[in-house]
Amino acid sequence: MEEQQKIKEQVLQELVKQEGNDRCADCGQPDPEWASYKLGVFVCMNCCGIHRNLPSPVKSIKLDFWDVRQLELMKSKGNVIAQAEYEADVPPYYYRPKLNDPSFLREQWIRAKYERREFTGEMRYPPLPYSTGLYEGKLLKKGKNKPQFLSRKFVLSEKEFTLLYYNKDNESKAPKAVINMKDLNVTFQPKKIGHPHGMQLRFQQENHTRNIYVYHERPELIPKITNNYLKEGYMEKTGPKNTEMFKKRWFTLDSLNRKLFYFKTPLDAVELGLIFIGTESNGYSVKEHVVKNAVGNKWRCCFALEMPDRRFVFMCEFKKEQKEWMDAIRKVLSRPMAPQDYTVETAVNCKR
């Protein structure tokens, strides 16, 4: 038994010396000592910890027991073959983490590659967070002459080629600063800022260089590379004439795609339908509503989504849920539409 294990260790040691396998498949660190026997890649200790959470089972090349099946998989794959599969279609603008980059950058990269399979060519690129040309969000920003970090709104515009930020209490007024992207350099500074998601923004301002220090509580960057749904849950929905029986449906609000999907159950593979949410300036709005002689409904907290040619009516179980849904939809209504959104709007409305 010991002799067989020694032979396996020798095979692994020879494999990890081969070109491509001699560096971590994810960050490039030399001499990796771990391997994922599910993915067939050799990785360093730092990236190994992230793989454990995928789940992507990993083992030590030197210390763990390897069975024949796991060893054969490593022999049949390896970093070069795996990278050809999982990195076949990486967008040129996607940041590839390096050896000394913060751990959250590695995690985003590893999850995008193996968990979400974003670069295999199976998904349509560019993803909406990159292609809409406009992204806004909140970052905690250090005061110019103060140590405190305060929440500030940042807006990144591809069309204007600018990064803007606003004072918290004056978002309706002109931005505090308009930074031309050609003058901007962004570096990750977790040690300097004292936060794992810290960034330093350096740009030219008139005759001097300005630094802005920011961080986000979660591993979110500008632009985002992940997309969580804004709101999910059950509501009751009536038909197009608003006189049909109310039926309980599971709803998912995808804010980036401006779509409200509804399903029979949360785990349905295909939606029953979807609703495009435009902007208030284009005739869309949401408001509380009262339905007379409603049929089939068990819940009473009602609101309506008004569209240029139709009204959708929903019932929520509690007042709190009604408010949460209305607030979430208003967030989508308030965001400007990108050029491709108009095409999506036409396609969705034509199906109704």
Side-chain angles (χ1 to χ4, degrees):
M1 194 70 164
E2 288 184 4
E3 186 65 28
Q4 290 180 348
Q5 183 61 18
K6 286 182 179 179
I7 294 173
K8 293 174 185 176
E9 288 177 6
Q10 291 175 359
V11 172
L12 285 168
Q13 289 299 326
E14 290 300 318
L15 286 174
V16 81
K17 292 177 182 177
Q18 293 179 3
E19 186 175 356
N21 293 342
D22 58 350
R23 289 184 173 273
C24 174
D26 299 316
C27 74
Q29 179 171 322
D31 304 319
E33 296 184 351
W34 295 80
S36 166
Y37 56 86
K38 179 180 179 181
L39 300 170
V41 295
F42 294 90
V43 297
C44 68
M45 181 177 292
N46 289 328
C47 292
C48 161
I50 299 170
H51 276 269
R52 291 183 188 277
N53 296 322
L54 285 183
S56 174
V58 290
K59 283 188 174 184
S60 168
I61 294 172
K62 298 179 180 179
L63 302 177
D64 289 327
F65 175 83
W66 289 74
D67 62 36
V68 175
R69 179 181 56 83
Q70 294 165 352
L71 190 63
E72 289 300 318
L73 187 140
M74 297 305 301
K75 290 168 65 177
S76 66
K77 281 204 169 184
N79 290 3
V80 174
I81 293 176
Q83 286 170 341
E85 175 184 355
Y86 294 108
E87 299 180 29
D89 193 23
V90 181
Y93 46 74
Y94 198 101
Y95 183 80
R96 295 172 180 254
K98 300 178 179 61
L99 176 60
N100 296 318
D101 279 337
S103 61
F104 75 91
L105 282 176
R106 299 188 197 204
E107 180 174 357
Q108 290 290 350
W109 169 243
I110 290 170
R111 288 188 179 277
K113 277 172 60 176
Y114 306 114
E115 187 177 56
R116 300 193 295 270
R117 297 178 62 89
E118 291 184 1
F119 313 130
T120 60
E122 302 166 0
M123 299 180 67
R124 179 179 174 270
Y125 267 92
L128 276 174
Y130 295 105
S131 61
T132 54
L134 183 70
Y135 179 71
E136 64 179 59
K138 294 292 183 69
L139 294 171
L140 286 156
K141 173 188 170 293
K142 181 182 177 299
K144 186 175 181 179
N145 299 309
K146 298 178 181 179
Q148 294 89 351
F149 281 79
L150 301 174
S151 179
R152 294 291 182 260
K153 176 182 175 181
F154 282 76
V155 178
L156 182 67
S157 172
E158 180 183 8
K159 180 180 179 181
E160 303 297 334
F161 204 55
T162 57
L163 176 67
L164 296 74
Y165 78 87
Y166 296 78
N167 279 339
K168 182 178 181 181
D169 298 326
N170 297 300
E171 291 181 6
S172 61
K173 297 183 179 180
K176 180 69 175 178
V178 179
I179 307 168
N180 194 309
M181 294 296 292
K182 69 179 180 62
D183 299 325
L184 177 65
N185 184 53
V186 179
T187 55
F188 297 98
Q189 298 285 3
K191 291 183 180 179
K192 180 186 288 187
I193 296 175
H195 193 282
H197 310 145
M199 294 190 296
Q200 178 179 345
L201 283 60
R202 174 176 291 173
F203 59 97
Q204 193 69 26
Q205 189 176 64
E206 299 179 351
N207 297 323
H208 62 276
T209 300
R210 174 75 194 280
N211 291 317
I212 293 178
Y213 299 96
V214 299
Y215 70 86
H216 200 290
E217 291 291 355
R218 293 172 291 169
E220 299 184 27
L221 309 178
I222 300 174
K224 275 188 174 182
I225 59 175
T226 58
N227 172 25
N228 294 323
Y229 294 126
L230 188 58
K231 174 74 176 167
E232 286 191 293
Y234 278 112
M235 291 191 291
E236 292 179 336
K237 172 187 173 297
T238 187
K241 296 180 181 179
N242 295 328
T243 57
E244 295 88 346
M245 180 178 292
F246 277 86
K247 295 181 180 179
K248 186 179 178 182
R249 296 289 182 253
W250 178 266
F251 286 82
T252 298
L253 179 57
D254 184 347
S255 61
L256 285 176
N257 291 313
R258 311 189 74 99
K259 292 178 180 178
L260 179 63
F261 297 89
Y262 54 95
F263 307 81
K264 189 173 183 179
T265 72
L267 297 180
D268 286 358
V270 181
E271 76 274 7
L272 293 175
L274 63 91
I275 303 165
F276 181 85
I277 302 175
T279 62
E280 293 178 341
S281 59
N282 289 336
Y284 293 80
S285 64
V286 63
K287 60 184 180 182
E288 292 191 26
H289 187 68
V290 176
V291 178
K292 296 181 180 179
N293 303 319
V295 180
N297 64 303
K298 296 181 179 179
W299 299 337
R300 294 290 183 269
C301 302
C302 182
F303 73 91
L305 173 60
E306 301 281 356
M307 303 174 63
D309 60 347
R310 154 161 200 192
R311 171 191 294 159
F312 285 89
V313 178
F314 309 96
M315 293 283 189
C316 298
E317 186 174 9
F318 303 107
K319 198 73 176 176
K320 179 176 179 290
E321 290 182 347
Q322 177 198 43
K323 183 180 184 303
E324 289 175 352
W325 274 108
M326 292 176 66
D327 288 345
I329 292 172
R330 285 190 180 112
K331 287 183 179 179
V332 181
L333 292 171
S334 65
R335 200 180 77 241
M337 286 174 58
Q340 61 267 34
D341 290 334
Y342 292 96
T343 303
V344 175
E345 177 186 31
T346 301
V348 171
N349 292 340
C350 284
K351 291 182 180 179
R352 288 198 275 110

